[in-house]
Amino acid sequence: MSRKCGRACRNTSWMSSPSGSRSARIPSAEKEMGPHMTDGGPDARVLALSARAEEVLNAHPRTRGLTASLPRADTSPLRIALLGPYSAGKSMLIAALRRLPAAEVERLVDAAPKTQEATPYPWNGVTLVDLPGTLSGNDEHSAAARHGVRGADALMIVTTSELPGEAETEAILRALDADGFADRSVVVVNKMSAENSDREVILDEIRKRLGPFADRVPVIPTDARDYVDAANDPELTDEHRELLVAESGIDALTAELRRITAPGVEGVRPKAQVCELIRVLEDAEQRWELDGEELDAAQTAKNAEGSISRAKEGVLDALERESEIAASRIRTAGGRAADGVSEKNGVVPVDIATAVAGELIDARTDFDVKFSSSVRAAFDALVAEHGDGVPEPEAWVNDVDAPEAILAAPTESPYERAIREAAEKAAKVGAKRLHEWIKKVAGEPGEAAANVANWLNKTRAGQKVLDAGGKITNGVGKFKPWGKIKAGEKVAGAAGKVQWAMAVMGPLMDVKSIAQDQSKWMAINKRRQALRHHFTEVALSQRNDLTDAGEQHLSEWIADVEQSLSGLTHPGAEISAARETALEGIKSLRDEAEKLVGPTTG
């Protein structure tokens, strides 16, 4: 459905004209002007909606000035506006409808097209409003006519036997459709007694130009001059007078106008008011169309919001993907450990246990590298778009480039050998002492970690573990400035991963006696299942922990980014937020107003 009032303001049960004769008499002026508003009636609902619209429009200076155009309680006579070009004879039609004497007729028609304001004339309990002529090239005339249309309850659209041109036809269709007057209008084809005028041809052409409204809007052929002459020319015979009156169409026009206005103020005006309310709300939406500096500011804020959102989504995608990969590798490692359980004694061989420990550490390390890389990529993208003001994210891994985070060396390093020997020792005497040593390294990165770093750095294999990119050491036994501290941090971080891995490995090293009877095979299978279950639980827990920690890490950095860019985005964001709030309120009111109009037809 079109948002325009015309498409919304079509036939409704509470606003349609009652059935009956076209010559139904209009109520008296006294009856029309009486206080007929009823609580909960259409007029009350429109006015309640208008009061809410006033609050919404008053909330911002952009739309505050429109409140004067909102519908108000009004029991004055119905207003029928005459719309048409200055040469169509609108003033003569008013003179004919009012049965004016010759002297008054001349005074009335003398002003057009100089009249710049709508002029009211009382007629049969309603008010005929003569609007300035349109299509005269006078912008003031057109503006006054437009204003008069918006204040009308019904329209008399006046054209001539010369047929409306393209611009005039467009104006007529706009009044019927967009302005919502299709069921409250009559089209008057004036000057029909002109020479060479074929009435039926002209009326058929008019209906074609009305398009979808041809069957909804009455078309009345008239000649107001004939009617005025018949009333005022003393030389006419009664027979000629009656003939001119009959062919003038003024009586038919009078009957049609009475039919349109027959429901009275409380029946016609609510529809006019709700359509005007919708037009005011459309004007309010147009007031929120941004341009110039405001548009630039809003666009800047929107672009920044979009780039931040893309950066965040990219990291979250990587976080979800890599945490699941890490979990999968943990489950795979658990399966390898379970498959390796010896059927002789239920022990996981040392080489398998060592490989499983290495896989656990690698899974965590690789996750750190990939996640850190995704955050770095997001940071680089934001810097490319918004400059160096974007804050660098807190390092997820230690301050070492990604390649250096890979702990495994091509050949077995002292660090790898230490892990393997620790696994062997744990298998024999339990993991408790190893856990204590690892915990000490991880918990006291100063001295303990530095000692381990010194020990590793004495060999080239150890250097590969510590410094694959050459940023920490200058060779065997030598550190770059601050390199020893960074090496200690790296060892401490690696120790933390080893500590975690060895805690996961606990069930592998905690070898219990296996029954040496016929249930031995069942017991081994049970141990294998228990190991798989254990690693599955660890995988799930690790995935959740990594996801939670990663989201928190990302959230803190994004908050820093938003804060750093606030000076650039705040003005536009403020405008956009105010606009969004205002438009949301306006749209809600428009939706309710269109519901008051009722279902559309045709």
Side-chain angles (χ1 to χ4, degrees):
M1 179 177 96
S2 169
R3 306 288 296 185
K4 297 296 185 181
C5 182
R7 306 255 176 117
C9 293
R10 294 180 180 169
N11 297 335
T12 65
S13 59
W14 60 272
M15 290 181 177
S16 60
S17 299
S19 60
S21 171
R22 284 181 176 268
S23 61
R25 296 187 62 82
I26 189 169
S28 66
E30 291 79 8
K31 182 177 180 181
E32 283 188 2
M33 295 181 67
H36 292 290
M37 290 190 177
T38 56
D39 291 342
D43 42 12
R45 293 197 296 272
V46 172
L47 294 176
L49 198 58
S50 182
R52 287 172 50 199
E54 184 169 9
E55 293 180 6
V56 171
L57 299 184
N58 267 330
H60 199 278
R62 283 177 182 271
T63 52
R64 196 166 294 153
L66 294 174
T67 57
S69 300
L70 289 169
R72 312 286 179 181
D74 184 3
T75 57
S76 64
L78 290 171
R79 294 176 288 273
I80 304 176
L82 282 78
L83 175 68
Y86 71 89
S87 60
K90 298 190 302 299
S91 297
M92 186 63 73
L93 280 167
I94 291 175
L97 288 168
R98 298 181 71 207
R99 278 67 171 174
L100 296 180
E104 293 187 33
V105 170
E106 294 305 321
R107 284 198 300 270
L108 178 63
V109 301
D110 187 53
K114 293 174 287 188
T115 303
Q116 295 185 7
E117 297 180 356
T119 307
Y121 298 95
W123 175 77
N124 283 2
V126 302
T127 299
L128 299 177
V129 183
D130 190 7
L131 301 179
T134 58
L135 308 178
S136 65
N138 189 315
D139 290 341
E140 292 183 3
H141 286 188
S142 298
R146 181 67 188 152
H147 181 74
V149 168
R150 294 187 63 157
D153 298 297
L155 284 185
M156 191 188 330
I157 300 172
V158 184
T159 185
T160 70
S161 59
E162 295 179 357
L163 297 176
E166 183 177 343
E168 186 181 349
T169 300
E170 184 178 339
I172 292 172
L173 294 177
R174 176 184 180 185
L176 297 176
D177 187 13
D179 290 335
F181 282 98
D183 299 313
R184 294 173 289 132
S185 292
V186 56
V187 172
V188 180
V189 187
N190 200 22
K191 302 183 181 182
M192 285 295 288
S193 296
E195 294 184 6
N196 301 320
S197 294
D198 187 322
R199 178 176 295 241
E200 292 306 318
V201 171
I202 291 172
L203 294 181
D204 285 344
E205 185 61 31
I206 289 290
R207 292 188 182 97
K208 288 180 181 178
R209 299 188 187 194
L210 290 178
F213 303 102
D215 295 331
R216 297 177 57 191
V217 181
V219 179
I220 308 297
T222 67
D223 195 299
R225 173 59 69 178
D226 280 358
Y227 188 91
V228 170
D229 288 346
N232 295 293
D233 190 344
E235 297 182 1
L236 292 176
T237 65
D238 289 343
E239 183 180 357
H240 285 164
R241 197 182 310 278
E242 290 178 3
L243 181 61
L244 285 175
V245 168
E247 293 185 351
S248 70
I250 296 301
D251 287 344
L253 176 59
T254 299
E256 193 59 48
L257 294 177
R258 284 175 172 170
R259 183 192 67 81
I260 292 173
T261 57
V265 172
E266 65 272 24
V268 177
R269 182 152 292 156
K271 184 170 186 178
Q273 288 186 325
V274 76
C275 285
E276 176 59 11
L277 173 59
I278 291 173
R279 287 192 290 267
V280 171
L281 294 173
E282 288 174 348
D283 292 343
E285 288 177 330
Q286 291 178 1
R287 294 282 180 94
W288 276 106
E289 291 296 324
L290 303 179
D291 55 15
E293 292 183 0
E294 287 185 333
L295 179 61
D296 292 342
Q299 191 60 50
T300 297
K302 183 179 180 180
N303 291 342
E305 180 182 347
S307 59
I308 291 173
S309 177
R310 288 190 297 274
K312 184 176 180 180
E313 288 303 314
V315 175
L316 288 175
D317 287 346
L319 177 60
E320 181 179 3
R321 180 180 64 254
E322 297 304 328
S323 61
E324 181 54 44
I325 290 174
S328 177
R329 291 175 68 175
I330 293 170
R331 288 192 294 268
T332 299
R336 182 178 182 181
D339 291 341
V341 171
S342 171
E343 293 188 6
K344 294 182 179 180
N345 55 15
V347 173
V348 177
V350 171
D351 59 337
I352 293 178
T354 303
V356 168
E359 178 61 18
L360 293 177
I361 295 171
D362 288 346
R364 278 290 304 270
T365 300
D366 289 347
F367 170 85
D368 287 347
V369 171
K370 296 292 181 61
F371 178 66
S372 181
S373 177
S374 72
V375 176
R376 172 61 59 174
F379 168 71
D380 291 341
L382 288 174
V383 168
E385 187 167 354
H386 301 291
D388 295 336
V390 177
E392 191 168 358
E394 185 80 16
W396 173 264
V397 294
N398 293 315
D399 189 16
V400 183
D401 290 344
E404 300 173 38
I406 301 175
L407 296 179
T411 57
E412 185 180 57
S413 68
Y415 199 51
E416 286 182 300
R417 187 163 55 252
I419 293 174
R420 177 176 56 77
E421 292 173 351
E424 293 173 352
K425 184 176 181 181
K428 295 179 181 179
V429 301
K432 183 176 180 180
R433 293 181 183 176
L434 176 65
H435 291 170
E436 290 177 353
W437 179 81
I438 296 290
K439 183 177 180 181
K440 182 177 182 182
V441 173
E444 302 176 11
E447 183 179 358
N451 290 337
V452 174
N454 277 328
W455 169 59
L456 288 175
N457 197 40
K458 291 178 179 178
T459 65
R460 293 194 177 278
Q463 289 173 27
K464 289 183 179 180
V465 175
L466 281 176
D467 202 21
K471 284 195 172 184
I472 294 178
T473 70
N474 278 324
V476 178
K478 299 179 180 179
F479 288 100
K480 290 182 178 180
W482 304 107
K484 189 172 183 179
I485 295 176
K486 292 182 179 180
E489 290 172 350
K490 183 171 182 181
V491 170
K497 292 184 180 68
V498 174
Q499 180 183 11
W500 166 78
M502 297 313 297
V504 175
M505 297 283 290
L508 274 68
M509 303 174 189
D510 187 15
V511 182
K512 297 181 179 178
S513 60
I514 303 297
Q516 298 297 318
D517 55 20
Q518 59 183 0
S519 63
K520 175 181 177 183
W521 186 82
M522 296 289 292
I524 291 175
N525 272 349
K526 185 176 181 180
R527 175 166 169 76
R528 287 172 175 168
Q529 291 174 4
L531 288 177
R532 288 192 177 92
H533 179 71
H534 168 69
F535 276 86
T536 297
E537 287 187 336
V538 170
L540 176 62
S541 174
Q542 186 67 184
R543 186 193 67 188
N544 293 339
D545 289 347
L546 290 174
T547 299
D548 291 345
E551 288 177 350
Q552 178 65 27
H553 179 77
L554 175 63
S555 177
E556 292 172 356
W557 175 57
I558 290 295
D560 290 342
V561 172
E562 291 173 338
Q563 178 62 32
S564 70
L565 297 179
S566 61
L568 179 67
T569 62
H570 181 71
E574 204 170 48
I575 293 171
S576 295
R579 180 176 182 272
E580 183 177 346
T581 299
L583 290 179
E584 183 178 349
I586 293 169
K587 180 182 181 300
S588 175
L589 288 167
R590 281 188 58 172
D591 289 343
E592 290 191 51
E594 290 176 356
K595 287 179 182 177
L596 279 183
V597 173
T600 61
T601 62

Short mmCIF file of all heavy atoms in Angstrom, two decimals, residues 127-159:
data_model
loop_
_atom_site.label_atom_id
_atom_site.label_comp_id
_atom_site.label_asym_id
_atom_site.label_seq_id
_atom_site.Cartn_x
_atom_site.Cartn_y
_atom_site.Cartn_z
N THR A 127 -19.02 26.33 3.16
CA THR A 127 -18.22 27.45 2.68
C THR A 127 -17.53 27.05 1.38
O THR A 127 -16.79 26.07 1.34
CB THR A 127 -17.16 27.86 3.72
OG1 THR A 127 -17.82 28.26 4.93
CG2 THR A 127 -16.33 29.02 3.21
N LEU A 128 -17.83 27.81 0.33
CA LEU A 128 -17.09 27.65 -0.93
C LEU A 128 -15.83 28.49 -0.84
O LEU A 128 -15.90 29.68 -0.50
CB LEU A 128 -17.95 28.09 -2.11
CG LEU A 128 -19.26 27.33 -2.34
CD1 LEU A 128 -20.01 27.95 -3.51
CD2 LEU A 128 -19.00 25.86 -2.59
N VAL A 129 -14.66 27.89 -1.12
CA VAL A 129 -13.39 28.60 -1.02
C VAL A 129 -12.80 28.73 -2.42
O VAL A 129 -12.40 27.74 -3.04
CB VAL A 129 -12.41 27.86 -0.09
CG1 VAL A 129 -11.12 28.67 0.05
CG2 VAL A 129 -13.03 27.60 1.27
N ASP A 130 -12.80 29.97 -2.91
CA ASP A 130 -12.24 30.25 -4.23
C ASP A 130 -10.72 30.38 -4.10
O ASP A 130 -10.22 31.32 -3.48
CB ASP A 130 -12.85 31.54 -4.79
CG ASP A 130 -12.48 31.76 -6.25
OD1 ASP A 130 -11.88 30.85 -6.85
OD2 ASP A 130 -12.79 32.84 -6.78
N LEU A 131 -10.01 29.42 -4.67
CA LEU A 131 -8.54 29.41 -4.56
C LEU A 131 -7.93 30.18 -5.72
O LEU A 131 -8.50 30.24 -6.81
CB LEU A 131 -8.01 27.98 -4.57
CG LEU A 131 -8.52 27.05 -3.46
CD1 LEU A 131 -7.92 25.66 -3.63
CD2 LEU A 131 -8.19 27.62 -2.09
N PRO A 132 -6.75 30.77 -5.51
CA PRO A 132 -6.04 31.42 -6.61
C PRO A 132 -5.84 30.44 -7.75
O PRO A 132 -5.64 29.23 -7.53
CB PRO A 132 -4.72 31.86 -5.98
CG PRO A 132 -5.01 31.95 -4.53
CD PRO A 132 -6.01 30.89 -4.24
N GLY A 133 -5.86 30.94 -8.97
CA GLY A 133 -5.71 30.07 -10.13
C GLY A 133 -4.35 29.42 -10.19
O GLY A 133 -3.32 30.04 -9.91
N THR A 134 -4.34 28.15 -10.56
CA THR A 134 -3.07 27.43 -10.73
C THR A 134 -2.65 27.53 -12.19
O THR A 134 -3.42 27.94 -13.07
CB THR A 134 -3.25 25.95 -10.36
OG1 THR A 134 -4.29 25.39 -11.17
CG2 THR A 134 -3.64 25.82 -8.89
N LEU A 135 -1.41 27.15 -12.45
CA LEU A 135 -0.83 27.13 -13.80
C LEU A 135 -0.78 28.51 -14.43
O LEU A 135 -0.71 28.65 -15.65
CB LEU A 135 -1.62 26.18 -14.72
CG LEU A 135 -1.85 24.76 -14.18
CD1 LEU A 135 -2.67 23.95 -15.17
CD2 LEU A 135 -0.53 24.08 -13.89
N SER A 136 -0.81 29.56 -13.59
CA SER A 136 -0.74 30.92 -14.12
C SER A 136 0.70 31.41 -14.20
O SER A 136 0.96 32.51 -14.67
CB SER A 136 -1.54 31.87 -13.22
OG SER A 136 -0.95 31.95 -11.94
N GLY A 137 1.64 30.60 -13.69
CA GLY A 137 3.04 31.02 -13.64
C GLY A 137 3.37 31.82 -12.41
O GLY A 137 4.51 32.24 -12.23
N ASN A 138 2.39 32.03 -11.56
CA ASN A 138 2.60 32.81 -10.34
C ASN A 138 2.80 31.85 -9.18
O ASN A 138 1.87 31.14 -8.77
CB ASN A 138 1.40 33.73 -10.09
CG ASN A 138 1.65 34.71 -8.96
OD1 ASN A 138 2.16 34.34 -7.92
ND2 ASN A 138 1.27 35.97 -9.19
N ASP A 139 4.01 31.83 -8.62
CA ASP A 139 4.32 30.88 -7.55
C ASP A 139 3.49 31.16 -6.30
O ASP A 139 3.11 30.23 -5.58
CB ASP A 139 5.81 30.94 -7.20
CG ASP A 139 6.68 30.37 -8.31
OD1 ASP A 139 6.14 29.62 -9.14
OD2 ASP A 139 7.89 30.69 -8.34
N GLU A 140 3.20 32.45 -6.04
CA GLU A 140 2.40 32.78 -4.87
C GLU A 140 0.98 32.24 -5.03
O GLU A 140 0.37 31.75 -4.07
CB GLU A 140 2.37 34.29 -4.66
CG GLU A 140 3.71 34.89 -4.25
CD GLU A 140 3.61 36.38 -3.99
OE1 GLU A 140 2.49 36.92 -4.08
OE2 GLU A 140 4.64 36.98 -3.69
N HIS A 141 0.44 32.32 -6.25
CA HIS A 141 -0.88 31.74 -6.50
C HIS A 141 -0.87 30.24 -6.23
O HIS A 141 -1.77 29.69 -5.57
CB HIS A 141 -1.29 31.99 -7.95
CG HIS A 141 -1.68 33.41 -8.21
ND1 HIS A 141 -2.23 33.83 -9.41
CD2 HIS A 141 -1.61 34.52 -7.44
CE1 HIS A 141 -2.48 35.12 -9.36
NE2 HIS A 141 -2.09 35.57 -8.17
N SER A 142 0.13 29.57 -6.76
CA SER A 142 0.21 28.12 -6.61
C SER A 142 0.36 27.71 -5.15
O SER A 142 -0.27 26.75 -4.70
CB SER A 142 1.39 27.57 -7.42
OG SER A 142 1.20 27.84 -8.81
N ALA A 143 1.18 28.45 -4.41
CA ALA A 143 1.37 28.13 -3.00
C ALA A 143 0.09 28.33 -2.21
O ALA A 143 -0.28 27.52 -1.35
CB ALA A 143 2.49 29.00 -2.42
N ALA A 144 -0.64 29.44 -2.51
CA ALA A 144 -1.90 29.70 -1.81
C ALA A 144 -2.94 28.64 -2.15
O ALA A 144 -3.71 28.20 -1.29
CB ALA A 144 -2.42 31.10 -2.18
N ALA A 145 -2.95 28.22 -3.42
CA ALA A 145 -3.89 27.18 -3.83
C ALA A 145 -3.58 25.87 -3.12
O ALA A 145 -4.48 25.16 -2.65
CB ALA A 145 -3.84 26.99 -5.34
N ARG A 146 -2.30 25.56 -3.02
CA ARG A 146 -1.89 24.32 -2.35
C ARG A 146 -2.31 24.35 -0.89
O ARG A 146 -2.82 23.36 -0.34
CB ARG A 146 -0.37 24.17 -2.47
CG ARG A 146 0.18 22.91 -1.84
CD ARG A 146 -0.30 21.71 -2.60
NE ARG A 146 0.06 20.48 -1.90
CZ ARG A 146 -0.62 19.35 -2.00
NH1 ARG A 146 -1.68 19.29 -2.77
NH2 ARG A 146 -0.24 18.28 -1.35
N HIS A 147 -2.10 25.48 -0.25
CA HIS A 147 -2.49 25.61 1.16
C HIS A 147 -4.01 25.47 1.31
O HIS A 147 -4.49 24.85 2.26
CB HIS A 147 -2.03 26.97 1.69
CG HIS A 147 -2.37 27.20 3.13
ND1 HIS A 147 -1.70 26.57 4.16
CD2 HIS A 147 -3.34 27.97 3.72
CE1 HIS A 147 -2.22 26.94 5.32
NE2 HIS A 147 -3.22 27.79 5.07
N GLY A 148 -4.76 26.05 0.36
CA GLY A 148 -6.21 25.95 0.41
C GLY A 148 -6.70 24.53 0.25
O GLY A 148 -7.67 24.12 0.91
N VAL A 149 -6.05 23.76 -0.60
CA VAL A 149 -6.43 22.35 -0.78
C VAL A 149 -6.24 21.59 0.52
O VAL A 149 -7.09 20.79 0.93
CB VAL A 149 -5.59 21.71 -1.91
CG1 VAL A 149 -5.76 20.20 -1.91
CG2 VAL A 149 -6.00 22.29 -3.25
N ARG A 150 -5.14 21.83 1.20
CA ARG A 150 -4.85 21.10 2.43
C ARG A 150 -5.84 21.44 3.54
O ARG A 150 -6.05 20.64 4.45
CB ARG A 150 -3.42 21.38 2.88
CG ARG A 150 -2.40 20.82 1.91
CD ARG A 150 -0.98 20.95 2.43
NE ARG A 150 -0.77 20.20 3.66
CZ ARG A 150 0.40 19.77 4.09
NH1 ARG A 150 1.48 20.01 3.36
NH2 ARG A 150 0.53 19.11 5.21
N GLY A 151 -6.46 22.61 3.46
CA GLY A 151 -7.43 22.98 4.48
C GLY A 151 -8.86 22.68 4.11
O GLY A 151 -9.79 23.01 4.86
N ALA A 152 -9.08 22.03 2.96
CA ALA A 152 -10.44 21.77 2.48
C ALA A 152 -10.97 20.44 2.99
O ALA A 152 -10.21 19.51 3.26
CB ALA A 152 -10.45 21.78 0.95
N ASP A 153 -12.30 20.37 3.10
CA ASP A 153 -12.96 19.10 3.43
C ASP A 153 -13.36 18.35 2.16
O ASP A 153 -13.46 17.13 2.17
CB ASP A 153 -14.20 19.36 4.28
CG ASP A 153 -13.86 20.02 5.61
OD1 ASP A 153 -13.15 19.39 6.41
OD2 ASP A 153 -14.29 21.18 5.84
N ALA A 154 -13.62 19.09 1.09
CA ALA A 154 -13.99 18.49 -0.19
C ALA A 154 -13.49 19.41 -1.30
O ALA A 154 -13.14 20.57 -1.06
CB ALA A 154 -15.50 18.31 -0.28
N LEU A 155 -13.44 18.88 -2.52
CA LEU A 155 -12.92 19.66 -3.65
C LEU A 155 -13.91 19.71 -4.80
O LEU A 155 -14.60 18.73 -5.11
CB LEU A 155 -11.62 19.04 -4.19
CG LEU A 155 -10.33 19.22 -3.40
CD1 LEU A 155 -9.18 18.61 -4.19
CD2 LEU A 155 -10.07 20.67 -3.09
N MET A 156 -13.96 20.89 -5.43
CA MET A 156 -14.60 21.05 -6.72
C MET A 156 -13.46 21.33 -7.69
O MET A 156 -12.89 22.41 -7.71
CB MET A 156 -15.60 22.20 -6.70
CG MET A 156 -16.47 22.22 -7.96
SD MET A 156 -17.55 23.68 -8.15
CE MET A 156 -17.88 24.17 -6.50
N ILE A 157 -13.10 20.32 -8.48
CA ILE A 157 -11.97 20.45 -9.41
C ILE A 157 -12.52 20.98 -10.73
O ILE A 157 -13.33 20.31 -11.39
CB ILE A 157 -11.27 19.10 -9.61
CG1 ILE A 157 -10.75 18.58 -8.26
CG2 ILE A 157 -10.13 19.22 -10.60
CD1 ILE A 157 -10.21 17.17 -8.31
N VAL A 158 -12.08 22.17 -11.11
CA VAL A 158 -12.66 22.86 -12.26
C VAL A 158 -11.69 22.84 -13.44
O VAL A 158 -10.52 23.22 -13.30
CB VAL A 158 -13.01 24.32 -11.89
CG1 VAL A 158 -13.70 24.99 -13.08
CG2 VAL A 158 -13.90 24.36 -10.66
N THR A 159 -12.19 22.38 -14.58
CA THR A 159 -11.45 22.46 -15.83
C THR A 159 -12.40 23.00 -16.89
O THR A 159 -13.49 23.47 -16.56
CB THR A 159 -10.86 21.09 -16.23
OG1 THR A 159 -10.05 21.24 -17.38
CG2 THR A 159 -11.95 20.07 -16.50
#
